[in-house]
């Protein structure tokens, strides 16, 4: 299920004297300004780069590129000149690494070179830039083709189908000033990229192959990295009183699982942890309040929140983060059957609050209600962030590139906004307010699971807030728009984006690894 190690891009850092691969990317900043090595190649090729730039009216704007085939006087087949624009930031360098791999990959070569003869930009030194380029390259080097068989790819007669062996690139040599330093800086990014790939694979996987039980098996693989993993089964969940979570899975032939992942990397193993909670609905048919047929297949990705938590725990463990962090995911399948929960049913959550289920398609909040409560009860976390593909309404509000951020704590919200700016995983703060709580008051139970037509993402967040204990700093990220069927970009080429792993890794690194409370 996880990608084989061989699917990963082999990234090698080498000095400028190292032999070039036949496919070679050079960088040019605004106005086609070249670094020392690129300028040297230009000279040796009789100003081939500058002549080609002029002919193509190429100005080296960020991410634009031109290709020079069989350049004279050089021992390479092709030079790709990639524009870096002006004043590139860490995020820009990452995107540029992705743009380089995108340009190379379309040319069916196995090995390529990237010449990073760059000057420092902002607070980024050349070795840090080389590492960020490598990060973007690794993030870009992703595809989900495990179900394309060789036979089908060549014999089905359709031209628009990508053959299984299309991605041929396997090695990228990054030529830079201080390869040892760049390699050391890249180790951090490699861990994060691996976490992103883990999350993408989970989201892309179809639900017949990835039910709650299989999901839990994937989580157990984190043990190899030193993460403590516990899997709670139906009988455990019943004992805990998770009537809200269990009512979602009761219509499915497959049982529920709650997975608890602990990474204790802080100096004091007893320091209160930070907590991450994810919605893991492996398939959301809507239940008795069934969804329309069109687009229902996308609901295999309704576990994007849980996938992000697993990917994040992978990243934190692989890079040995100096923090105590716990990840909790609720994995269930929302199906239609004679045993399915009905509209009008009233269930009792672990918190003791009763919930009137008025729409069985508002199931994510029912799962999170119990997992959030359990996380607080057991771990008394310093703060808690949940992620969920929770509402279609968040896409009506914010589109496909912003996740909705709801928080009862301004400091946590600001930390998330700063991490968002640094990583480019965009969030936009949305309101939590009494007025939304009014809409989910029920006559028959303590709360109802839908709030009516308006402000659907906000009533969903208010519902979750009912299960947040006094004094818990909490943030909820509604990632329905960003986790799946996502907008493709230089570093995210797949239906599943792995959204949130980079954001939360940065949140942890910048705010929770230095101090221990
Ligand atoms: N998983 C869906 C939300 C969703 C929709 C995610 C589209 C990704 C793409 C969620 O469980 C759901 O069905 N929400 C309902 C809530 C409604 C019944 C109050 C929705 O958004 O329509
Ligand atoms: Mn639903
Ligand atoms: Zn759902």
């Amino acid at each position: 299920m996880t990608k084989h190690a061989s699917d990963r891009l082999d990234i090698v850092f080498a000095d400028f004297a190292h032999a070039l691969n036949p496919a070679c990317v050079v960088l040019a900043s605004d106005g086609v300004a070249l670094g020392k090595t690129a300028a040297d190649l230009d000279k040796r090729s009789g100003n081939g780069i500058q002549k080609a730039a002029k002919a193509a009216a190429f100005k080296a704007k960020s991410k634009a590129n031109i290709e020079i085939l069989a350049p004279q006087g050089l021992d390479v087949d092709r030079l790709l000149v990639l524009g870096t624009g002006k004043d590139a930031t860490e995020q820009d360098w990452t995107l540029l690494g992705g743009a380089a791999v995108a340009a190379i990959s379309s040319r069916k070569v196995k090995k390529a070179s990237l010449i990073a003869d760059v000057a420092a930009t902002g607070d980024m030194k050349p070795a840090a830039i080389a590492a960020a380029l490598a990060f973007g390259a690794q993030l870009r080097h992703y595809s989900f083709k495990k179900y394309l068989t060789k036979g089908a790819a060549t014999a089905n007669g359709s031209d628009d189908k990508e053959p299984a062996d299309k991605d041929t690139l396997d090695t990228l040599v990054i030529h830079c000033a201080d390869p040892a330093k760049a390699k050391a800086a890249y180790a951090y990014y490699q861990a994060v990229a691996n976490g992103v790939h883990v999350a993408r694979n989970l989201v892309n996987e179809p639900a017949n192959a990835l039910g709650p039980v299989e999901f839990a098996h994937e989580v157990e693989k984190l043990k190899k990295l030193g993460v403590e993993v516990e899997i709670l089964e139906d009988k455990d969940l019943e004992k805990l009183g998770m009537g809200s979570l269990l009512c979602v899975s009761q219509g499915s032939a497959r049982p529920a699982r709650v997975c608890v992942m602990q990474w204790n990397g802080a100096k004091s193993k007893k320091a209160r942890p930070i907590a991450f909670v994810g919605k893991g609905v492996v398939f959301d048919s809507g239940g008795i309040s069934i969804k329309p047929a069109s687009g229902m297949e996308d609901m295999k990705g309704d576990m994007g929140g849980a996938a992000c938590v697993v990917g994040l725990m992978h990243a934190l463990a692989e890079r040995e983060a100096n923090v105590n962090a716990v990840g909790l995911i609720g994995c269930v399948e929302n199906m239609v059957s004679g045993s399915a929960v009905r509209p009008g049913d009233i269930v009792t959550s672990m918190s003791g609050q009763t919930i009137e289920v008025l729409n069985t398609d508002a199931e994510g909040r029912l799962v999170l209600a119990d997992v959030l409560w359990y996380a607080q009860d057991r771990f008394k976390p310093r703060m808690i962030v949940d992620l969920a593909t929770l509402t279609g309404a968040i896409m009506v509000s914010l589109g496909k590139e912003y996740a909705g951020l709801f928080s009862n704590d301004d400091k946590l919200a600001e930390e998330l906004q700063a991490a968002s700016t640094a990583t480019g995983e965009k969030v936009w703060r949305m309101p939590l307010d009494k007025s939304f709580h009014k809409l989910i008051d029920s006559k028959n139970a303590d709360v109802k699971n839908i709030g009516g037509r308006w402000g659907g993402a906000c009533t969903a967040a208010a519902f979750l807030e009912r299960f947040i204990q006094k004094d818990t700093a909490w943030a909820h990220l509604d990632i329905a728009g960003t986790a799946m069927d996502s907008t493709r970009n230089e570093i995210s080429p797949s239906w599943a984006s792995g959204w949130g792993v980079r954001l939360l890794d940065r949140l942890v690194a910048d705010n929770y690894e230095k101090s221990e409370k």
Side-chain angles (χ1 to χ4, degrees):
M1 145 88 233
T2 37
K3 274 166 75 96
H4 302 293
S6 60
D7 291 343
R8 198 173 299 149
L9 181 61
D10 234 322
I11 295 183
V12 180
F13 294 93
D15 56 28
F16 296 117
H18 193 276
L20 297 180
N21 279 305
C24 183
V25 180
V26 297
L27 302 175
S29 59
D30 207 45
V32 201
L34 301 175
K36 196 167 168 300
T37 306
D40 187 45
L41 293 174
D42 186 37
K43 204 161 142 209
R44 276 165 50 206
S45 65
N47 290 60
I49 295 177
Q50 294 298 357
K51 280 183 192 158
K54 199 167 170 211
F58 173 76
K59 300 279 190 305
K61 293 263 179 293
S62 186
K63 292 167 229 132
N65 75 68
I66 54 170
E67 182 181 29
I68 308 165
L69 291 170
Q72 259 182 27
L74 300 181
D75 199 17
V76 299
D77 293 338
R78 47 171 41 98
L79 271 184
L80 282 155
V81 188
L82 178 63
T84 65
K86 261 192 245 181
D87 307 323
T89 61
E90 178 186 1
Q91 170 61 3
D92 294 326
W93 288 116
T94 305
L95 293 169
L96 284 162
V101 164
I104 298 160
S105 292
S106 62
R107 281 151 177 114
K108 288 209 165 205
V109 295
K110 264 193 131 108
K111 299 190 189 320
S113 288
L114 167 62
I115 297 176
D117 54 347
V118 291
T121 57
D123 57 358
M124 299 273 292
K125 303 250 163 59
I129 292 173
L133 285 164
F135 184 37
Q138 192 65 267
L139 289 168
R140 172 72 196 206
H141 187 78
Y142 177 84
S143 60
F144 184 76
K145 294 192 178 147
K146 63 187 276 199
Y147 293 107
L148 294 184
T149 68
K150 272 236 149 62
T154 51
N156 71 356
S158 91
D159 290 337
D160 57 356
K161 188 157 179 220
E162 295 182 12
D165 60 357
K166 189 187 161 208
D167 293 323
T168 45
L169 184 67
D170 63 26
T171 308
L172 180 65
V173 180
I174 300 184
H175 302 257
C176 56
D178 191 341
K181 213 168 174 186
K183 189 178 172 194
Y186 175 63
Y188 180 108
Y189 285 132
Q190 173 72 71
V192 180
N194 286 341
V196 173
H197 286 195
V198 164
R200 287 177 184 167
N201 282 340
L202 288 165
V203 173
N204 277 324
E205 194 70 27
N208 60 330
L210 190 78
V213 172
E214 294 80 9
F215 204 130
H217 286 152
E218 288 305 314
V219 172
E220 286 191 309
K221 293 183 181 166
L222 290 175
K223 286 180 183 168
K224 276 193 299 225
L225 297 171
V227 177
E228 261 176 61
V229 177
E230 283 162 69
I231 310 294
L232 307 182
E233 305 193 352
D234 274 348
K235 57 176 188 328
D236 307 311
L237 305 176
E238 272 157 33
K239 253 189 232 146
L240 287 165
M242 292 201 188
S244 182
L245 178 144
L246 284 169
C247 87
V248 177
S249 74
Q250 74 187 39
S252 169
R254 303 194 278 188
R257 292 287 185 267
V258 168
C259 308
V260 183
M261 299 154 257
Q262 294 185 67
W263 168 252
N264 289 313
K267 281 192 201 82
S268 158
K269 304 295 166 228
K270 292 212 187 88
R272 279 168 75 198
I274 53 175
F276 299 95
V277 167
K279 168 180 174 182
V281 176
V282 297
F283 185 74
D284 180 12
S285 70
I288 301 288
S289 316
I290 196 166
K291 287 183 181 295
S294 160
M296 200 199 274
E297 65 276 12
D298 280 359
M299 288 301 117
K300 72 171 185 176
D302 207 17
M303 25 57 71
C308 174
V309 171
V310 177
L312 173 69
M313 295 304 291
H314 179 114
L316 294 178
E318 187 179 334
R319 70 175 182 76
E320 299 182 343
N322 176 28
V323 70
N324 292 345
V326 49
L328 300 106
I329 60 175
C331 299
V332 299
E333 182 176 43
N334 188 21
M335 294 295 264
V336 198
S337 78
S339 61
V341 67
R342 313 156 195 81
D345 284 2
I346 295 176
V347 298
T348 304
S349 66
M350 184 183 171
S351 74
Q353 294 174 87
T354 55
I355 303 166
E356 187 176 24
V357 179
L358 289 181
N359 188 317
T360 65
D361 197 13
E363 85 297 340
R365 63 198 75 181
L366 297 174
V367 173
L368 290 173
D370 280 339
V371 183
L372 283 168
W373 190 265
Y374 178 69
Q376 295 165 93
D377 237 26
R378 175 164 169 196
F379 294 104
K380 312 272 178 279
R382 285 169 66 187
M383 61 82 159
I384 190 162
V385 178
D386 79 70
L387 303 100
T389 49
L390 202 63
T391 67
I394 199 63
M395 290 186 265
V396 176
S397 304
L398 299 179
K400 297 280 298 167
E401 293 192 37
Y402 277 85
L405 160 62
F406 298 83
S407 183
N408 64 1
D409 187 277
D410 288 343
K411 178 173 160 282
L412 177 57
E414 277 157 30
E415 290 167 358
L416 278 160
Q417 277 164 325
S420 169
T421 305
T423 57
E425 292 195 319
K426 293 181 256 190
V427 300
W428 194 260
R429 190 147 181 203
M430 299 282 290
L432 286 168
D433 188 70
K434 269 205 187 108
S435 59
F436 299 113
H437 279 281
K438 264 198 212 153
L439 299 174
I440 52 172
D441 279 332
S442 159
K443 287 200 184 73
N444 302 314
D446 297 334
V447 64
K448 58 187 181 186
N449 79 329
I450 50 170
R453 177 143 185 215
W454 309 114
C458 304
T459 49
F463 182 93
L464 299 181
E465 197 180 20
R466 299 267 180 132
F467 300 87
I468 297 301
Q469 298 170 5
K470 212 168 143 270
D471 301 331
T472 303
W474 161 71
H476 156 60
L477 294 165
D478 192 334
I479 60 172
T482 56
M484 56 162 125
D485 186 23
S486 57
T487 307
R488 313 296 201 270
N489 64 32
E490 284 76 7
I491 53 174
S492 183
S494 177
W495 185 81
S497 60
W499 195 97
V501 175
R502 293 190 299 120
L503 174 81
L504 297 180
D505 173 76
R506 182 61 75 108
L507 173 79
V508 174
D510 286 354
N511 303 287
Y512 296 92
E513 288 194 58
K514 287 156 204 160
S515 67
E516 284 178 26
K517 269 192 216 140

